[in-house]
Amino acid sequence: MDYLHLSRVNLKHLTALHIMLDTHSVTQTSEQLCVSPSSVSKNLSQLRDILNDELFYRDGTKLIPTPFALKIAPTVHAILASMNGLLHQKIFVPQDYQGNFSLSMRESTFEVFASKVSRITTELAPKAKLTIYSKQQLGFDALLSGKINLVLLPHDISQPPTNNKELVWKTILQDEMVCLMGAHHPLARQELTVEDYLNHKHIGILDNELSQPYFEQNLVQCHQPREMAISVADFGAAAVLCHHTPFLFTCSKQWAEHAKQAQGLVSKPLPFDYGKVAYSLVWNKPNMNDQAIKWLCDLFLEA
């Protein structure tokens, strides 16, 4: 271990870098740390010399992280999370907590867990603030770098979502898949067969972080691939399109039973093997050093 070089780095350096990676602004970073902008700039300048990298470069009025800065972001977050755990080992009291929680999920996931999420700041931790991001906006990379606390999403359990060993996946709600269609669809009043399912066009859901679901692979191997007419970012948009098109939409049964957008649509069980699906909670191991995040995680796991 290179103790000499380690002695040159302090938490001020890493904290400034961590917040800068989120804000891309010296001014906003200084405000969060309650120090002057010149102090932040000085810490970053020292860290540049130590790490032998520019860390940020200016593009117009924006500061853009270098590839190296983005690469080390998860490591920096892990170091700060571990130190934060050492500094805050006392029992966490939700009623007194005045910090910020952050979740990332699809809009459709919020439909299913709205009652649980709403209790966090209305009853359980009334002094806390809660920010909910779209998973399309902040996903697994943001979880690794500490920009968000937890990700909550529906997925095919057979999907290998990520090979990163720092991310932990835990199923919190078992689910099924159904096929939705408009009330006047030709298939609405008859039993759905594989042939019927494949002879009609479909509405797909985009997710660049999840691999192809098992049922898609199974259809290709045993029958033929689905024909996608439209692909959208979320279940809600797909359900709205179902009301206005002759297309089929395959989705979570839990969501279809809760969502207002799905009211009036006809739901059919899928006529083929689609594996196992569920809603899972995803977190970054170092985050569990933070008693507040651990409490939030346990809250969902208890559900």
Side-chain angles (χ1 to χ4, degrees), residues 124-233:
L124 304 176
K127 298 179 182 178
K129 294 181 180 179
L130 175 64
T131 304
I132 301 176
Y133 296 96
S134 164
K135 186 183 171 296
Q136 289 291 99
Q137 178 186 3
L138 295 178
F140 301 135
D141 286 343
L143 189 60
L144 285 167
S145 63
K147 291 183 179 179
I148 52 176
N149 301 149
L150 302 170
V151 172
L152 185 59
L153 79 165
H155 69 108
D156 178 349
I157 293 180
S158 65
Q159 287 174 293
T162 174
N163 293 323
N164 193 295
K165 295 181 180 180
E166 290 300 308
L167 295 185
V168 180
W169 288 68
K170 184 72 173 180
T171 296
I172 58 176
L173 182 63
Q174 296 288 344
D175 199 7
E176 300 175 26
M177 291 180 69
V178 294
C179 178
L180 298 183
M181 62 194 73
H184 301 293
H185 195 281
L187 301 177
R189 298 186 180 181
Q190 64 187 62
E191 183 178 346
L192 185 64
T193 66
V194 177
E195 291 74 20
D196 291 332
Y197 184 83
L198 293 174
N199 285 337
H200 286 78
K201 294 183 178 181
H202 294 256
I203 302 170
I205 300 296
L206 301 168
D207 194 318
N208 57 10
E209 291 190 311
L210 295 179
S211 59
Q212 188 182 48
Y214 167 80
F215 88 90
E216 298 276 19
Q217 301 174 31
N218 189 47
L219 282 176
V220 172
Q221 293 173 0
C222 300
H223 305 281
Q224 67 185 53
R226 296 191 296 163
E227 182 179 354
M228 294 295 179
I230 306 175
S231 292
V232 296

